[in-house]
Amino acid sequence: SLPGRNLSPSSLIDCEGGSWRPPAGRRKPIADARGDKLHTVTLEEAFAASSNVGAAKLGYALWDSTAPPRATALVMYAEAYGFTRRTGILCGGEPNTRIPAWDGLGTQLILSYGYGIYATPLQITMAYAAVANDGILMEPMLVKSVESPSGSVIRNLAPRQVGRVVRSDTAKQLVQLLTAVVSSKGTGKDAALSEYTVAGKTGTANKMTQAHMAAGVTAHFSTFVGFLPAENPQICLLVCADEPTGSDGRAAYGAACVPVFKEISREAASYLTIPPSPVLVAHEAATDRPALPRH
């Protein structure tokens, strides 16, 4: 099994008020993009608020200076989730994905909150699907079978496992963290559906092209990826937006993708006739119960 640390969603972490200067590996402070200014909170709360500081501190806790280059626990997990190799999807055209540079702890820290690695939307979706699938990564499939014009089956394709990435109990804790993101205090709260529990995560990456840097322009590539129902996932969906802007004209973040995710996932769940989440059904039954008569 891969190395790790004994952490849980209830573990406490100090997010330093939204700005943290690591003791080594990086001169520039790591800052949270949002203005939450978190201090000591649970890991679940830090995750729901998309705290870069919280994520970097986890990366620091996983740092092992004796490990060979590019072989820290964090990198090993990235490889196990499939981020450093092609998925092998049959349509082809996949680029090489990798960690383009490695300077030790500095790279480890930025990897912790999603920078410093090349990844495709399909790889990201597959990683989330592995979490939803009890920690098991699957090969991507485009079709279930190939048939001749007359209807005879030429080839059947069955789901195939790539391998287990994390233990079942770890996957369940990750689902808990992702569900917190869609809670009332999370960055993905607008992805919540009345019929299903949703687990997901907003993502915002600065576009560091030469043209953008030369012009001094800050542009983003934003994502929201999630799955539902969280307790028995049937749909995993990623929505991305290239340089989204808000209604005020300013650059938008990962939350800009949430309304699209919500609309597609609601329609897909209806089309697939997925039963509503039992927790939400029970809640609706409790809230709709008529009041008892007074005596």
Side-chain angles (χ1 to χ4, degrees), residues 17-38:
S19 181
W20 176 56
R21 189 180 296 275
R26 182 180 169 91
R27 294 181 179 178
K28 185 179 179 182
I30 292 170
D32 288 343
R34 302 179 77 227
D36 292 313
K37 300 187 182 303
L38 300 177

Side-chain angles (χ1 to χ4, degrees), residues 240-276:
C240 54
D242 191 5
E243 300 188 24
T245 56
S247 57
D248 57 0
R250 292 187 296 179
Y253 297 94
C257 302
V258 168
V260 181
F261 170 91
K262 185 173 184 176
E263 200 64 29
I264 295 175
S265 58
R266 179 193 287 123
E267 293 296 327
S270 174
Y271 177 79
L272 296 172
T273 62
I274 297 173

Side-chain angles (χ1 to χ4, degrees), residues 205 207 209 212 217-222 240-246 250-252:
K207 295 180 68 174
T209 66
H212 285 99
V217 176
T218 301
H220 302 111
F221 188 84
S222 301
C240 54
D242 191 5
E243 300 188 24
T245 56
R250 292 187 296 179

Side-chain angles (χ1 to χ4, degrees), residues 23 25 47 55 79 99 110 123 127 138 141 143 149 157 189 219 224 256 289:
F47 196 86
E79 292 175 346
I99 299 170
I110 64 171
Q123 287 174 323
M138 305 294 292
M141 290 178 58
V143 295
L157 291 95
K189 61 181 181 296
F224 184 84
R289 189 177 300 152

Side-chain angles (χ1 to χ4, degrees), residues 182-206:
V182 191
S183 70
S184 60
K185 296 183 180 180
T187 57
K189 61 181 181 296
D190 291 336
L193 294 170
S194 59
E195 305 92 345
Y196 306 99
T197 50
V198 178
K201 185 72 185 69
T202 52
T204 306
N206 289 329

Side-chain angles (χ1 to χ4, degrees), residues 128-129 131-134 171-172 175-176 178-179 182 191-200 226-237 261 265-266 268-270 272-281:
Y128 276 77
V131 172
N133 192 40
D134 205 41
K172 288 180 173 60
V175 173
Q176 181 178 334
L178 293 167
T179 305
V182 191
L193 294 170
S194 59
E195 305 92 345
Y196 306 99
T197 50
V198 178
F227 50 83
L228 66 131
E231 69 281 353
N232 182 28
Q234 303 295 311
I235 298 170
C236 185
L237 170 67
F261 170 91
S265 58
R266 179 193 287 123
S270 174
L272 296 172
T273 62
I274 297 173
S277 294
V279 174
L280 296 178
V281 170

